[in-house]
Amino acid sequence: MSVVKSPLSEQDRKTVGDALQGALVDLVDLSLVAKQVHWTVVGPRFRSVHLQLDEVVASARLHADAVAERASALGIAPDGRAETVAKTSGIDAVGDGWNKDTRAVQILVAALGAVITRMRERVQATADPDPVTQDLLIGLTGDLEKHHWMFQAENA
C-alpha cells in the first residue's frame, strides 16, 4: 500500500524504488562500517584517519536521508532496518578488534569502491525512468568518489 502517489509509471517506480532502496542500504552500511573502523583505528596516523572516517560517516548519513526522503516522495517506503541492511548490503563485513591505520584505510577504500560501483549501476538504471533520482545519485556518487580518492592517497 502506498499513501503517496507517484507520477512515475508502475514499472518506472519499481526500477527507481529498487535503485533507491539499494542506495539506502549501502549508505547506511557505509556509515556503520566507517564508524566501526573509526572506533578501532590505531597507529601513527590515528588522528588524521580517525577524523577522516567521521567525514565519511557524516556524508553517508546525509546522503542516506536524502535517498530515503526521495523514495518517500515517490511513494516508496524506505527500509533502513538493521536486518535489511545486513541481508542486502554490498559491503564486506569488518572484522572485530583493532585496525592499524593502514588497514583501516584499506577497509574504507574497499567499502567505498563497492558502494561506488553499485551507485554507478543505479545511475544508469535511473537515467530514463527518473532523471531527478538519477541526479541525486550522481551527486552522492561524486561525493563518495572524493572520499575514495582521499583514502587511496593515505596509503599511496
Side-chain angles (χ1 to χ4, degrees):
M1 172 187 87
S2 178
V3 295
V4 177
K5 301 301 178 207
S6 171
L8 301 177
S9 71
E10 198 56 39
Q11 177 62 36
D12 288 351
R13 189 173 166 275
K14 167 95 172 85
T15 299
V16 172
D18 289 349
L20 288 167
Q21 179 58 40
L24 176 61
V25 163
D26 282 351
L27 290 165
V28 169
D29 200 22
L30 179 61
S31 73
L32 295 171
V33 165
K35 199 49 135 167
Q36 179 63 34
V37 175
H38 166 90
W39 293 324
T40 61
V41 66
V42 295
R45 294 180 299 150
F46 163 79
R47 183 160 173 74
S48 64
V49 173
H50 183 79
L51 295 173
Q52 193 175 357
L53 287 160
D54 261 348
E55 292 173 8
V56 173
V57 171
S59 181
R61 287 177 177 169
L62 181 70
H63 291 309
D65 191 54
V67 164
E69 288 182 357
R70 178 67 185 153
S72 294
L74 295 175
I76 302 158
D79 185 355
R81 296 173 300 155
E83 176 183 6
T84 303
V85 172
K87 285 181 181 176
T88 60
S89 173
I91 302 173
D92 289 337
V94 175
D96 60 353
W98 301 105
N99 288 292
K100 182 90 168 104
D101 51 8
T102 54
R103 177 70 185 131
V105 168
Q106 290 170 347
I107 291 167
L108 259 290
V109 167
L112 285 160
V115 173
I116 290 165
T117 297
R118 289 166 51 115
M119 288 299 178
R120 286 185 159 273
E121 292 168 0
R122 295 174 185 122
V123 166
Q124 292 299 320
T126 56
D128 290 329
D130 187 22
V132 175
T133 295
Q134 183 193 42
D135 185 59
L136 174 70
L137 296 174
I138 289 169
L140 73 87
T141 302
D143 192 37
L144 295 175
E145 288 177 343
K146 181 179 175 184
H147 289 298
H148 191 238
W149 155 56
M150 291 182 162
F151 271 102
Q152 289 179 79
E154 284 282 345
N155 279 352

